[in-house]
Amino acid sequence: MAHAPAANCNEADRGDGQVVSRPLGGIIPVALYALAAAALLVQIGEYPAFPYNWESYTAWHYFQSWAGPERPASAILALTDGLMTDSGRGPLIGLPVWLGFSLDQVGLAAMRWPVALVAALAAPLTWAVGRRLVPEPAAVLAALLLVVSPVFLLYGRTATLVGISLVPALLTMLVLVRVLESSGRRWATAWLGGLQACLIAGAYAYAPVRLLWPLSVAALLIVVAGCRQRRRFFLLAALLTVVALPTGLVAIDWLTIAAWNPWATIAGYFRARGEHVFAFGDTPDRLLPYMRQAPAEPMETWRLALGLIVQNAGDLLRLIADWQTEPVVTNHWSPRGGLWSWIVAPFFWLGLGGLVFTAIRGRSWRSWLLLFLLLGLTVPLLFTTRVHVGRLVLALPLLLLVVSRGWTLASDGLCWLVATRWPGLPAAIFRQMVPSGLATILVLASAAMAIAGYAHTPATSQEARQRDRIEAAVDFATVNGGAAVVAPAAFGLEIEGVRAGTYWLALHDAYRVVDLTNAVPVLEAADRRPPLYVVGVLPRLLAGELPNACRNLYLVLPEAELEFREAMSHPRVQRQCPDGLRFDVLPA
C-alpha cells in the first residue's frame, strides 16, 4: 500500500476538496442552518409529548447540578463518562437547558429548543468539513442529507448528550483539517491551539468524541512520516496533542473534585462505564446479556468477546444496507433502528470503493483523511456492547460525505455513458440534469423515510401516565402540606432520580419537587406550591425524618404497594402517625 500523501506535501490533490471563494458563499451555511433548525423545531414540545430517549436523565441531572441549592458551582464542570445517562451534567447540555428555562417556562419544550438550535449547527459544519475533503457540491448534498436524516432529527431534537455532540465533533474535525492544511503558513499555531481546545472541550461531549484525540495524534504522526518539508512542525504538533488533553483533564479534576487522582483521571478517560469488551476481564457471564444467541456450553471470555464483535459487525452492515430495520423513532436504542433509506446504501458502497481506491493509490491526503476518520469512528464501535444508530451519530456526517462522493461518481459515470452512447445529445444539459436528479432522489428518499418514521408514535412512558394522577392531587397536597412519591427499594437511587426528573419537568408549575437524597431544604414561605417529596421517601419515613409525614398524600407506585403497606404497620410509623397515612396507588 502506498504511503498516504501528507498535507501540504502534495498540493496536486486540491481538486478533491477544493475550497473556492464565491461571492454568495456565505449564504450556503446560513441556509443549511435555517433548514436544520426549522426541521428540528417542528412540534418540538409535542412530539413526543413526554421525556423521551433518556431525556429524564437530563432533567434529573440538571435538577441536581444546576438547580440544586447545595451543589458547588465547580460541580458543573466535573467530568463524567460521557454516556447518555450523563446527559444534563456539564456545560454542553446544562448551559442550553439553563438558557431555555431562563427565557421560557420550565417544561419539555424549553428544555429541547435551545439544544436543538445548537445541534442545528451540525448541518453547516458538515458542509464546512466536507468542502475540504470532497468537492463542494458533494459537501452541500451531505449536509442536506443530514438535515433530513431520521437519526439526526431524533437525536438533534431530544435534549440529550448525543445529538448536540455532533457540533464539538465536527468542530474538532474541521480544526484538524485546517492544521494539516496550514502548516508553515499564517495561522498554523492558532489552528493548532484551537485543536487542543476542541479536544479538551470534547471531554464534556458524548463519549465517542473522545476517539478524536488518538485519531488526531495518529493523523499528525502519519503526516510526519510522509512530509519531509514540514516534519518538525507536525512532530511538535503531535507531541503537543499527546500532552495537552491529559493536562487539561487533570486540571479540570483538580478544580472540581476533592479526591484528586490524576492517574485515575487519565486512565479512566476511555472507560465509558465498562460498556466495551475490554472491561469484562475474566467474567464471561457479563457478556451473555449482550449476545442474541447464547452459547450452548460455557466458553472462555475471549471467545464470547469475539462472538460479540462478529455480532456487532453484522449489525453495522445491516444498518448500512438498511436490511431488516425498523423506524428509528421507536427503535433508537436497538440494533434494528434504521440509519438511512435503502436507496442511499448503493451510493455509500460506491463512494467507499472510490475512496479506498484513491487512498490506496496515494493520490489525495484528503481522501485518506476522510477514510481514516470514518474508520476511526466506526470500527471501535464493534468492540462495544452493542452497535446502534445512537453510537453511530458522530460518524453520520462522514458516512454521508462518503454517500455524496458516491453520488459524484455515479453522476460522472452516467454522464460519460450518455456521451458515449448518444454523442449527438447536448452533453452540457446532461451534466446539469443527472447530478441534480440523483441528488433529488437521495434527499427525497431520506425525507420520506423520516416522515414515515415519525408516523409511528412512541409508546407513552409509565411516568407520563402517572403524571396526570399526581397533578390531579395538587389541591389535596396544597391543603395538607405536601405529597410524596413512593418507589420500591429495588429501583435504587438512580432509577428513582430519573423518575424525579420527569416529575420535576412536567409538574414544576404545580409542585416544588424536593429530592430527599440531599438535606431537606427549608421551603420558602412565599412559594405557594406544595412540596412533592421524591427519591428515598420510604427510608426517610421509617427513620422519622420525612417532613409533614402524617399529613402528606403518598402517591405509591404499583411496584411499591406491598412495601408501603408494610411501612405503614411499622411501630415507629404507627407511633408517629396513629391516625394512619393517606395514599393513592398510581396506575401501572
Side-chain angles (χ1 to χ4, degrees), residues 14-54:
R14 290 292 294 180
D16 201 40
Q18 182 71 49
V19 179
V20 180
S21 297
R22 301 181 185 277
L24 300 178
I27 293 178
I28 294 177
V30 173
L32 289 171
Y33 178 78
L35 287 172
L40 292 175
L41 291 176
V42 172
Q43 293 185 317
I44 189 70
E46 290 80 29
Y47 190 87
F50 49 88
Y52 191 63
N53 191 18
W54 305 78

Side-chain angles (χ1 to χ4, degrees), residues 28 118 206 218 254 257 286 311-312 346 362 448 474 485 508 579 585:
I28 294 177
V118 177
Y206 190 36
W254 180 74
I257 64 175
R286 293 172 59 196
Q311 175 182 291
N312 287 338
V474 68
V485 178
H508 182 267
D579 294 333
V585 179

Side-chain angles (χ1 to χ4, degrees), residues 386-410:
R386 185 178 291 115
V387 170
H388 49 72
V389 292
R391 290 177 177 169
L392 278 171
V393 163
L394 301 184
L396 183 59
L398 300 176
L399 291 166
L400 294 176
L401 286 173
V402 176
V403 170
S404 66
R405 188 181 178 95
W407 163 76
T408 301
L409 293 174

Side-chain angles (χ1 to χ4, degrees), residues 73-97:
S74 60
I76 295 171
L77 298 176
L79 297 173
T80 68
D81 287 326
L83 302 182
M84 284 280 284
T85 51
D86 293 312
S87 294
R89 293 171 171 162
L92 184 59
I93 282 285
L95 277 175
V97 172

Side-chain angles (χ1 to χ4, degrees), residues 70-143:
E70 298 183 3
R71 296 294 296 272
S74 60
I76 295 171
L77 298 176
L79 297 173
T80 68
D81 287 326
L83 302 182
M84 284 280 284
T85 51
D86 293 312
S87 294
R89 293 171 171 162
L92 184 59
I93 282 285
L95 277 175
V97 172
W98 171 83
L99 179 64
F101 290 163
S102 299
L103 299 177
D104 199 351
Q105 61 181 1
V106 173
L108 196 58
M111 186 174 73
R112 285 177 176 170
W113 65 256
V115 176
L117 289 178
V118 177
L121 290 169
L125 283 172
T126 297
W127 165 80
V129 173
R131 68 199 290 253
R132 297 183 177 277
L133 300 177
V134 298
E136 185 163 7
V140 174
L141 176 60

Side-chain angles (χ1 to χ4, degrees), residues 476-525:
F476 184 92
T478 302
V479 173
N480 290 276
V485 178
V486 181
F491 274 13
L493 292 180
E494 182 171 354
I495 300 302
E496 275 202 75
V498 171
R499 286 174 172 266
T502 302
Y503 301 143
W504 177 78
L505 190 65
L507 303 170
H508 182 267
D509 291 338
Y511 289 96
R512 285 174 287 179
V513 178
V514 180
D515 188 339
L516 295 176
T517 54
N518 303 316
V520 179
V522 177
L523 301 180
E524 298 179 7

Side-chain angles (χ1 to χ4, degrees), residues 359-376:
I360 291 177
R361 291 291 298 271
R363 292 179 178 178
S364 168
W365 70 269
R366 300 174 191 277
S367 296
W368 164 81
L369 182 61
L370 176 56
L371 180 63
F372 181 71
L373 291 175
L374 176 64
L375 294 177

